[in-house]
């Protein structure tokens, strides 16, 4: 692993500063403003009784997610998908990824016939929005599950493990952790890894942006991502260790 | 005017605490997080060279706005308009209102063939989201105009006046200023007033939600709204008096 | 008030010739061809048993409206909204306005769980289409309510009052009543006022098209609109005083 | 051919009363209110310079049509296609049929690079709306062509022939001309025939609604339709023989 | 009838080689790859219990069809209708035609409350795709009905007759049977005829592409189509006479 | 690696029978019917001169792909995306994956300003449709590139390497190659691997369907996929070694 300095002065295996602010919204049953450097995602968990039609009378709950970017979260403004009248492929792909990642740590039977929707809205984008979304949404999900617990609406321990995600990539031949946008556009390979708190994989998505990559580079990226996810798991634990203020709506 | 106490302890002619935070985003040419009590709207101004096709070669610029609510800005989650594949009537109506209000204080010839889009995304809703959006968007617009000025892209003084907006309504027979959600649902009449800094009207939109209203009540509401807009004009001036930090992207 | 002559020879406080023809369609429970000068709107009231899902078991009825323009109602042809696959903001805004205006004079409990839809289709447009639509739709609504009454489907007196609407505007500095298209495009301020038969306001929507307006101009416009609505109320009464032909389908 | 009396007292080979009112609209270059009994269709011809992109620089013009029904033209209200966000198959099919029928009598080279759009909006439906639309649209088309002629915008004689259309069907085993709605729903076979003024076929569309039909019935229907189209051709000629009033906008 | 040789060496009254391959798919209850020369359509019949909502509790079944073309079935690639977000008029028109044609030979009461959907996807287009679709879909429909019969789900003999379809047209003044694409684009008149096995008409759709046609040409086309449909009926019978392989999924 | 027998008798590291039929369509510049067991995908390559607007004047070409399933390719019929009016997330995700995979082996500068669209339509689905699509589309792409070469439209060697794809998964704790549908639904982990002919990775997409997976299982899956892709590369070479028949349209 190299110790070459990066655009923002980090070492290759270093995350950007991570900030997880719980209770950022008054209405949602769980809400988190998560920041990976300048990337800023607002995650809101909404609890409703009942499940979608296709899951009714299964005794099991449902967790799903929707990801979106504000038009000016990015460097140049993008048109709203609501105005275009359809959702782009990237948005759908990430929404599905966030949902799958969270469901991997949920015991749906213990959840009972309740639905939790995680809205992940990117307020500012600087690379790694999907991994920040997963990492923050997990914390909002925990608050939503605690809300159900306080109401006596669970049928057991609904959370099996924690889940976090990080991007890794090969920039200038060097594997690097948690790419910012400037690094991301220059990367040969881009990989998003979603891991549980106990260090197993939920998703591994590696893409050769330019040059195909060999097994050795792949191994290097997998190692870096494990370092990053372990650190994010700690940040999630710390954020969740604090009690939310008593007067909070949740 | 009565001095009866309201749900949040205000008097009838009192605004909620107003907060205007400039430079909340790193990429946008102007950005404001505006708060009217618990209502929180993120306003981003995006500058692009050129104008829409129908306005080309007119020598004049264009200012427009898009308003939207995050799914969980409200008490219960609403479906995303991008997912539904179409924009609702209320969203369109407010987007058009915000755009018209800002254009009322713009000298389009002085702006030159530049376009400024104001995105007003409601992060949290507690009544008065459209009036907060107009009030905040004006401040973001000023920063975008200053950005064009620094670039030497203007052909004159593009801002004619300031503009702000406030809601007024009749609750329990009493005209009140700046309704929060709880008051809004109980109001007989609901009115949104958009005024320039010099105290003239840009928009007056009054709706009898239950009982039709007479001229006397209408006059009372108009007076209250003038008080509110004057105070918002002061808050805008104060926010704009400060220099943005040097390292800012704009 | 000035007595300056207008493009069509009217005085400032004079309406265009108003014509209200009931029973213009054979199928609808109420139907009116309303004309304000060359503006021609076909209003059809459709009665159905039952109410939308969200209102079921409330014991209350529902009145709603849809406004649309034929492609060649205007000077140059506009594309059909059905072909474009979405409804424009202006169309939605006016549909919502017409619906709210009619609901203001309906006692929903007396209506019972019945729905009345008012379709207002502009056959020819020459300014004031939304105000003609409201004025005509009210008359069609009365015929639909009478139809329900004859069937014994009402639970009381469903109509509380009458409702009509008129546009006013400032053209060349002079407040004028019931603007035709040629005046409308030259107006500095444009205002639509919806009033009940007893002279109270249902909606007041004033917009500064160019110059913001002051309180004195606003007062002048409000006075003109009261004159216009009073006259429209008389025209509605006269039209409704006549019996529809016996052989009519309703 | 039988002389059995029909629901409205007609003989089998008799059209309903036909009325063709030219100049019904003030803005359109040609406009006709056509009535086949209670069926009432408003046909507006809109002329624009230039042709669609795919036809540019061909030296040839273009004629097209859009057909639609008002929501309450029918016995029970139908949802608007603009609200549903898509056009139904029947609407598209008829729009295409009307366009093809009119193009059959147009010399596109003589028309020059001009476009004429025929909007056929059904105000009231009682069977035969597509045939009334074609018959009326032809007359509006003539007025639009005359408008181009007066402007000197034609390159020759743009109209080759006239065109009209009629429905025929087998009701209770008997071929009948120009079915009204009540007959249409009871018909075994339904056929629409579009013919030129000189008695040749432009379209023949026969459909077995219940029982397949044999050659003999087909021949009977074809004969009836020739009788009907000949009569409609006469009605078109008579309507077109009159001068439109001098003050007309066209 | 002329014996002039055609682009592919056929005589005027000769079909292209017809091939009907049953059981082309493993999952569908009936499936046919039908070929008219180079035109190749995959027809799949899907059986489901129950009927659409509007037909419930009628005791009757429902047969419907959807036609579509693969993007590169044609000479130059066409955009996908799913990507465009709407179905074109031609697609809808043909889907409706195929559905009507099949329903003409179905006894819906005998079918019981079962639905059969026929998907006709054009893999390669060389003229006559709609007639090949109808001819192939009938064979797939028979296999689907036999499937229901084996399951004991029918209430009688669901098939009344067979149905097939062929195109005819006038090319260079000569009526010809079963036009290939090269002939189709040069045809003056284009006609599609759908006939039952006993020689009666289900649909007759003739269109003058250039010159209107007279009764004599129409008669010539009708005779040719009867020759073609009779031959297709024989091809259908032969294909259906064979047992499908035992190991087949159906 | 286990040698346990699978549902279809294969060993864990064995592919299903692979069949690659070139020239299956007459119009497309390249076309392949690819079969992985019962999975059957039709891949058509369409060449057009020029590139999308955003790439113009870059001197570089563009390769893209669209994936779709026929409604009855699956066990039970799915609704058409064209009828639903929008494309699902899975379809978009796979279309994007196929496009990226093919672009990884294209030298866009050598391609010149030409566009190649690969349409991958699943005629029958039995697991592994996306990997069959990539594997078949590559062969169709080669034929399209050869077509450009014969026309002298290339600026160099446009193909850098070959590309193929295979699925691997953990079923009953055992890593297995090329899952059929029955195995796929029972798999704990599902992984799709896209590799170049020289054995490097283009895409690695692993998803824990039930239990998160550890590094050891991941390594096992990566090894299996390398075996599969090597074999598919051989099958592609063999298919491409043969000359297409002389009379072919390409």
């Amino acid at each position: 692993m190299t110790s070459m300095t990066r655009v923002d002065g980090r070492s290759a295996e270093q995350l950007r500063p991570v900030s997880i602010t719980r209770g950022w919204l008054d209405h949602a049953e769980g809400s988190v403003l998560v920041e990976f450097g300048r990337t800023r995602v607002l995650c809101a968990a909404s609890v409703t009784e009942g499940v979608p039609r296709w899951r009714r009378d299964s005794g099991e709950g449902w967790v799903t997610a929707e990801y979106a970017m504000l038009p000016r979260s990015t460097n140049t403004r993008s048109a709203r998908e609501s105005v275009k009248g359809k959702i782009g492929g990237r948005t759908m792909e990430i929404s599905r990824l966030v949902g799958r990642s969270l469901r991997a740590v949920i015991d749906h039977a213990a959840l009972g016939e309740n639905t939790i929707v995680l809205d992940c809205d990117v307020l500012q984008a600087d690379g790694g929005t999907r991994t920040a979304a997963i990492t923050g949404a997990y914390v909002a999900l925990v608050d939503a599950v605690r809300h159900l617990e306080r109401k006596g609406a669970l049928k057991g321990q609904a959370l099996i493990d924690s889940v976090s995600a990080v991007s890794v990539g090969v920039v200038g031949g060097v594997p690097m952790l948690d790419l910012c946008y400037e690094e991301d556009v220059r990367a040969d390979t881009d990989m998003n890894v979603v891991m549980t708190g106990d260090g197993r994989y939920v998703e591994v998505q590696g893409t050769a942006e330019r040059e195909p990559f060999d097994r050795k580079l792949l191994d290097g990226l997998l190692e870096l991502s494990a370092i990053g996810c372990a650190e994010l798991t700690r940040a999630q634990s710390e954020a969740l260790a604090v009690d939310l203020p008593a007067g909070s709506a949740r």
Side-chain angles (χ1 to χ4, degrees), chain A residues 167-179:
Chain A
S167 76
V168 285
V170 180
V171 185
V174 183
M176 289 182 178
L177 182 64
D178 186 24
L179 274 51

Side-chain angles (χ1 to χ4, degrees), chain A residues 4 6 10 14 22-23 36 72-73 79 81 90 100 105 123 132 144 156 170 175-177 186 190 194 228 233 250:
Chain A
M4 155 201 166
R6 297 161 70 177
R10 284 186 286 155
Q14 201 178 347
R22 284 163 67 211
F36 280 19
R72 195 54 200 281
S73 57
E81 297 188 323
R90 181 183 172 278
R100 277 200 314 272
V105 296
L123 304 186
V170 180
M176 289 182 178
L177 182 64
R186 291 166 43 216
D190 183 25
V194 184
T233 300
R250 286 151 310 280

Side-chain angles (χ1 to χ4, degrees), chain A residues 89-101 130-131 134 164-170 179 184 187-195 201-209 213 218 221-222 225 229:
Chain A
R90 181 183 172 278
T91 298
M92 282 207 208
E93 207 168 305
I94 299 179
S95 292
R96 287 156 53 94
L97 171 65
V98 178
R100 277 200 314 272
S101 299
R130 80 189 71 186
T131 54
I134 292 168
S164 67
V166 80
S167 76
V168 285
V170 180
L179 274 51
D184 189 63
D188 284 320
T189 297
D190 183 25
M191 195 161 183
N192 291 291
V193 179
V194 184
M195 296 183 84
Y201 298 99
V202 171
E203 289 270 342
V204 174
Q205 297 197 337
T207 298
E209 298 289 347
F213 53 95
L218 175 56
L221 291 171
L222 288 170
S225 67
C229 284

Side-chain angles (χ1 to χ4, degrees), chain A residues 222-237:
Chain A
L222 288 170
E223 274 153 43
L224 265 188
S225 67
I227 295 172
C229 284
E231 196 162 328
L232 290 169
T233 300
R234 275 192 298 276
Q236 290 173 325
S237 294

Side-chain angles (χ1 to χ4, degrees), chain A residues 112-136:
Chain A
E113 289 208 4
N114 296 294
T115 297
I116 306 178
V117 181
L118 274 297
D119 285 291
C120 301
D121 287 273
V122 179
L123 304 186
Q124 186 161 283
D126 185 29
T129 60
R130 80 189 71 186
T131 54
I134 292 168
T135 305

